[in-house]
Every structure is written in C-alpha cells, then in structure tokens.
C-alpha cells in the first residue's frame, strides 16, 4: 500500500569535531535509504511514500548538524516527488516519549505520546509535501531542568566560596551538556561558550532554565565579550548572592581596541585632498549582502560610467563577479548593461590586505577614485572576538588601502554606535564625538563602534571620510524585496502565518532599504 522510511543514525558532536566520514555515516541511512526507495518504487502503484524527518531540519538542534542536514535532504526529496506528481510526505517529527533518538531534553518541547503521534500519522498519511508535528507547549511544572538547579540553590548557603563557585560551574556544565548534547569532558573552566556553538536558541534555553531553577535572570551582558564557563559561573554566583548585581564587567576594553596603529597615521596626512570620488572606478565591499545589493545597484545607476571592483569571497574573479550578479538578480535589480562594469575581486575582509596580493593592489589602486566599505559579518549572538577579524580588521585594512593611495573612504556604520549608557536619553547629531562605549553589549554593535572610531580618527588625521549610520533595514518600499532570513522579516512572516503577534512594548528604528 505504501512506504514508510523511518531509519536513522545519530552521531552528535560539536561542529569543529565533525568530519566527512561522520557526516556520511549519519546521512547513509536517511539519504541513501530514501534514494534507493525512491528509485525502486518509481512506477509502482502505491498510495503513500512517507519519510521520518525531524524538527532538527527546520529549527536546528545543538550538536546535530549532520542529522539536521540529512533530514533536510529528505524534505527536499519529498517536495521533488510532489512536484513530479508522485506521493511524498516528509514529517518533521518532534520528540516522542519513551526514548529513541530524542530521549534527551529537546529545547522545551513536550514529547508526543506514541499513541498521539500515530494518530497524527494516520491523519496526515494521505497528504503530500511537508509537515511538522510536535507539541510546542512547555512541559507542566516549569522547565524540565529547573529541579536540578533548585537543589543547587538549596545547597549553596552551606558551602565555602570556592566550593560554591565549583558547584555552580559543575551545574552549568551539566546544563549545557544536556541542552547541547556535549560531552562533559568538553566543558572545562576555560571553555569559551562561542566555541561550543552557543546559538541564540540555546542561549534562550539556558537563560530560561536558570530563571526557572534559580530565580535570577541572565542578561545580555553575561554572554557578551568572550564568556567562558568559569566567567559565566562567577557571574551567576554573584547574581545569587545579590540579584541586583546587574551585568558583569566588560570583558573587552573597546577603547583600547579602537586605536589606529602607528604605521597608518603618517600615511593619512598625505592622503588629504585626494582624488575626487568616485572617479572612474571604486573598491566596493559587502556586495553580496542585502543592503550591499541595493548600494551596488545605486552606484551603477548614479554614475553611468563607473566601474566597480567588488571584493567577494570566491575562487577566482569569475566566481566573485557571478556572486555579485546573482545577488542583484535575487532582489530584482540586475541590468544587462552593467555586465562590463562589475569586476569581481576575490578576497576576504578578515585577512591582511583584504586577502588580495600586494602586487594586485599595486596595479589596481592607481585606477581607483575611492573606497565604499560596506562589508561586515552580521550576528546578534556572536561575541566581539568572533566578529573582530572581519568587521574591525576589514575596516582597518580598508583604511590602510585608502591612506596608501590617497583615496576618499565612505564607511557604512550603524546606529548601534549610540548604544552606550552615556547616550541613552540624550540628543545627538552627526557631529557628536561618540567616545563612550561602556554599556554596548552586542558583539556586532561593539565591532561597529570600534570600526567607526578608527575611521573617525583617520578623518581627524586628514583622510577624506564620510560615515553613514543606517538603523534596522526593512524591505523595499515599492517591491517588498527583503532579506528572507532577516530576523524581522521572519518575525512578520511568522505572525502572518499564525494570525497572532507578540504583545511587546517596543519601538524599532526601521526604514526601507530604498530610503537607506
């Protein structure tokens, strides 16, 4: 009557510990099994073809990158079968009660009872395409990991200071091991949480468990900088002793980070009064991003003779140019007349010289009339240290190139540079010297503040500079083109799909990309 493909293999672990062999072993049962069944069943008169996928394919699951990818492949195969007029249903199962692959804690999901899951299967069996079946309500009695932390809270008053710190650190390690599927031996005192792959979902789950079990709130500052297991344990212990303790001290001295190297300063004075921008050609970074696509199109339209050298991570100039064109096409911006005016320049913001050989720069810089530096790595979870190479290092290398050739620099910053405590509730204009940084918690915002201070110093030293500070950027006001994976875009889509919206008292400085 039909086929149900439920086979699967797990081999969880940190992304840094994965290998092609481990991923292939996980994929074999899911992917190869489904592929054989698909080929062998073509032309047979069966009524259903069901594959057991997982919520890990749709939402991700800590430590399960290979498993999530294998299930994502199953989802794609079933959609292909559906498009070909063949039966095909992929079920993104949540955890089932009673053990199995999802026997460990699954991100606050309440396990489905087997009889309930089978009833859902019977209901959906005649359908085609893709469906997710899970119980999203939190389990009764609060967070399932809360009792362990509640026992810890009861034990702490009887412990000496060093014993209390060790107990909190052990509890956190056990909590992270359960949430992320890590081995306890991977979680040492100096373990950096960003190296574990701590993402936004796991951070929320960790904070929820701590709130439910210990009654204190882990703020953004606890995960800012480059937190380790030991620093998070010390902060949590301080909160338990004094819930009003607030955020931990800043781990990174942004003021020290925002100092131009001595070798750049002499070149900057010589760059004053350079060639008028944009001239015949410019260097452009960040052209494969959302804002980057519209900036690139705007420059090409605004300056009909301008040639643009787009710095892109790619294997060769042809591949770099193709990525820029594909991004323009994706947002409906591409014009065939631009084909000869875009030049791909393979490179990397995080590398010295932007990943371009010095002799290449020697031939290119004399042809440029300016630098438009828009490129940056965007993340609202990654700490400063993880984003520094691309965001701060890339800006510094762009400044070096501009100073070397006497080129004007236009820098795309962010309104996040205003996030310091000193500026809250203050009226500021474009001429305000934003020298304060304490209270900027997000790693991305920290890199933007440091980068802008480097550019600001370069301007004081004589380099022709313009700084732009966009806020959160929404889709195009006429076409609706928007970055599909953008947080706000996904939030709005989710609200429309659910027919509900969160009741939040919050204002966002959101503007359309065409206005920016």
């Amino acid at each position: 009557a039909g086929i149900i493909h439920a086979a699967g293999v797990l081999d969880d672990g940190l992304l840094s510990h994965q290998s092609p062999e481990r991923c292939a072993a996980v994929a074999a049962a899911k992917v190869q099994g489904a592929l054989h069944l698909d080929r062998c069943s073509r032309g047979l008169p069966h009524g259903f073809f069901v594959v057991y996928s997982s919520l890990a394919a749709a939402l991700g699951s800590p430590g399960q990158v290979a498993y999530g990818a294998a299930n994502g492949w199953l989802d794609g195969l079933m959609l292909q079968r559906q498009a070909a007029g063949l039966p095909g249903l992929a079920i993104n199962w949540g955890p089932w009660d009673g053990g199995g692959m999802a026997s460990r804690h699954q991100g606050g999901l309440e396990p489905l009872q087997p009889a309930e899951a089978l009833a859902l299967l019977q209901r959906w069996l005649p359908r085609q395409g893709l469906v997710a079946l899970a119980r999203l309500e939190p389990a009764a009695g609060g967070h399932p990991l809360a009792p362990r932390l509640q026992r810890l809270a009861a034990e702490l008053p009887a412990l000496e200071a060093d014993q209390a710190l060790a107990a909190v650190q052990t509890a956190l390690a056990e909590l992270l091991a359960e949430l992320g599927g890590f081995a306890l031996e991977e979680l040492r005192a100096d373990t950096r949480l960003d190296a574990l792959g701590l993402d936004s979902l796991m951070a929320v789950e960790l904070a929820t468990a701590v709130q439910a079990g210990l009654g204190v709130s882990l703020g953004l500052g606890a995960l800012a900088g480059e937190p380790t297991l030991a620093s998070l344990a010390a902060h949590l212990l301080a909160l338990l002793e004094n819930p009003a303790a607030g955020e931990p001290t800043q781990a990174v001295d942004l003021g020290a980070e925002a100092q131009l190297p001595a070798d750049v300063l002499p070149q900057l004075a010589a760059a004053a009064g350079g060639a008028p921008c944009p001239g015949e050609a410019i260097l452009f970074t960040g052209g494969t991003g959302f804002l980057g696509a519209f900036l690139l199109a705007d420059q090409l339209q605004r300056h009909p003779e301008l040639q643009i050298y787009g710095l892109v991570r790619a294997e060769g100039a042809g591949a770099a140019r193709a990525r820029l064109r594909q991004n323009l096409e994706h947002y409906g911006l591409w014009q065939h007349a631009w084909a000869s005016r875009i030049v791909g320049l393979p490179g990397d913001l995080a590398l010295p010289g932007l990943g371009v050989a010095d002799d290449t720069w020697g031939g290119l810089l004399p042809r440029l009339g300016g630098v438009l530096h828009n490129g940056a790595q965007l993340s609202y979870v990654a700490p400063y240290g993880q984003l520094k190479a691309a965001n701060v290092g890339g800006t510094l290398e762009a400044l070096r190139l501009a100073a070397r050739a006497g080129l004007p620099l236009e820098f795309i910053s962010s309104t996040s540079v205003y996030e310091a405590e000193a500026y809250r509730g203050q009226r500021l204009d474009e001429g305000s010297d934003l020298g304060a940084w304490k209270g900027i918690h997000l790693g991305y915002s920290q890199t933007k503040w440091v980068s802008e201070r480097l550019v600001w110093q370069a301007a004081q030293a004589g380099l022709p500079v313009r700084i732009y500070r966009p806020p959160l950027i929404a889709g195009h006001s006429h076409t609706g083109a928007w970055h599909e994976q953008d947080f706000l875009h996904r939030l709005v889509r989710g609200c429309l799909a659910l027919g509900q919206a969160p009741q939040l008292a919050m204002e966002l400085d959101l503007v359309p990309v065409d206005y920016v």
Side-chain angles (χ1 to χ4, degrees):
I3 294 170
I4 295 181
H5 177 43
V9 173
L10 281 181
D11 187 6
D12 295 353
L14 293 177
L15 181 59
S16 58
H17 294 173
Q18 291 295 334
S19 66
E21 294 74 22
R22 289 182 67 178
C23 292
V26 172
K30 293 272 184 186
V31 174
Q32 296 291 355
L35 194 59
H36 291 316
L37 289 169
D38 172 63
R39 289 173 176 171
C40 294
S41 64
R42 293 289 177 113
L44 296 180
H46 54 273
F48 59 85
F49 191 116
V50 178
V51 294
Y52 276 27
S53 180
S54 167
L55 275 181
L59 303 179
S61 181
Q64 294 192 325
V65 60
Y67 184 69
N71 283 299
W73 190 93
L74 291 182
D75 298 346
L77 177 64
M78 293 302 102
L79 293 175
Q80 285 185 356
R81 286 179 59 89
Q82 181 187 18
L86 299 170
L89 173 65
I91 302 178
N92 286 167
W93 285 112
W96 285 37
D97 196 19
M101 285 187 167
S103 58
R104 64 180 174 85
H105 175 60
Q106 291 284 305
L109 297 174
E110 184 177 352
L112 292 166
Q113 297 301 314
E116 179 185 22
L118 292 172
L120 287 169
L121 174 62
Q122 182 177 7
R123 173 185 170 188
W124 284 94
L125 202 58
R127 312 290 181 91
Q128 309 298 323
L130 181 62
V131 62
L133 300 178
R135 184 183 299 283
L136 299 178
E137 293 84 8
H143 197 283
L145 299 178
R148 185 181 313 175
L149 295 175
Q150 290 167 351
R151 289 193 296 272
L152 169 66
E155 297 168 358
L156 285 176
L159 300 178
E160 299 292 336
D162 56 343
Q163 294 174 323
L165 181 60
V168 172
Q169 186 172 301
T170 299
L172 276 177
E174 293 173 348
L175 190 63
L176 285 167
E178 183 122 3
L179 290 175
F182 311 124
L184 273 175
E185 55 267 21
E186 294 175 322
L187 302 170
R188 300 182 303 273
D190 60 351
T191 299
R192 279 178 43 188
L193 300 184
D194 61 296
L196 283 177
L198 183 73
D199 59 20
S200 55
L201 292 176
M202 200 191 308
V204 170
E205 188 70 13
L206 176 64
T208 302
V210 168
Q211 178 74 48
L214 299 177
V216 294
S217 176
L218 282 176
L220 279 175
L223 298 173
E226 297 179 0
T228 63
L229 192 60
S231 69
L232 188 60
H235 173 59
L236 187 54
L237 186 60
L239 282 178
L240 289 169
E241 294 172 350
N242 178 17
E247 303 286 15
T249 56
Q250 186 77 27
V252 182
D253 185 346
L254 299 182
E257 293 281 305
Q259 298 300 317
L260 273 175
D263 64 301
V264 181
L265 291 171
Q267 295 178 305
L268 291 171
C277 188
E280 297 179 358
I282 62 168
L283 173 66
F284 180 71
T285 68
T288 57
F290 173 54
L291 175 60
F294 287 88
L295 277 178
L296 178 56
D298 179 71
Q299 292 292 298
L300 290 164
Q301 291 172 335
R302 190 182 299 270
H303 308 289
E305 305 300 323
L306 182 67
Q307 192 167 43
I308 296 182
Y309 288 81
L311 186 85
V312 178
R313 287 197 306 270
E315 294 293 332
R321 180 176 171 276
R323 287 194 64 195
L324 292 168
R325 173 172 175 166
Q326 289 165 5
N327 198 41
L328 290 170
E329 290 175 338
H330 179 73
Y331 292 111
L333 300 170
W334 172 252
Q335 296 182 21
H336 290 288
W338 296 344
S340 61
R341 298 172 55 199
I342 299 176
V343 181
L345 182 64
D348 191 327
L349 292 176
L351 297 178
L354 299 179
V356 178
D358 193 62
D359 56 349
T360 301
W361 285 127
L364 177 58
L365 288 176
R367 302 167 59 186
L368 299 179
V371 178
L372 177 50
H373 181 43
N374 167 64
Q377 182 181 353
L378 175 61
S379 170
Y380 295 128
V381 179
Y384 174 83
Q386 195 170 323
L387 301 173
K388 175 182 175 180
N391 295 4
V392 178
T395 301
L396 182 56
E397 292 303 309
L399 284 171
R400 289 182 190 276
L401 291 169
R404 172 178 166 182
L407 299 175
L409 176 84
E410 302 207 344
F411 174 60
I412 309 300
S413 181
S414 165
T415 53
S416 62
V417 298
Y418 296 113
E419 291 174 7
E421 293 171 356
Y423 307 132
R424 293 172 191 171
Q426 303 297 312
R427 293 183 64 85
L428 302 164
D429 62 24
E430 292 89 339
S432 301
D433 185 353
L434 304 182
W437 55 269
K438 292 186 177 180
I440 302 179
H441 294 306
L442 291 178
Y444 174 77
S445 301
Q446 292 170 344
T447 63
K448 279 299 184 182
W449 184 88
V450 172
S451 295
E452 185 175 304
R453 294 304 294 175
L454 294 175
V455 175
W456 185 276
Q457 291 171 50
Q460 305 308 305
L463 186 72
V465 161
R466 283 197 185 97
I467 295 173
Y468 303 88
R469 296 172 180 149
L472 292 172
I473 302 176
H476 196 283
S477 63
H478 298 291
T479 69
W482 200 337
H483 177 34
E484 293 88 342
Q485 300 308 315
D486 174 79
F487 167 75
L488 286 170
H489 184 268
R490 295 176 72 175
L491 176 65
V492 171
R493 285 170 59 195
C495 291
L496 290 171
L498 291 169
Q500 300 190 34
Q503 190 170 1
L504 297 174
M506 181 170 64
E507 292 183 357
L508 296 175
D509 49 345
L510 185 69
V511 295
V513 67
D514 45 312
Y515 176 82
V516 176

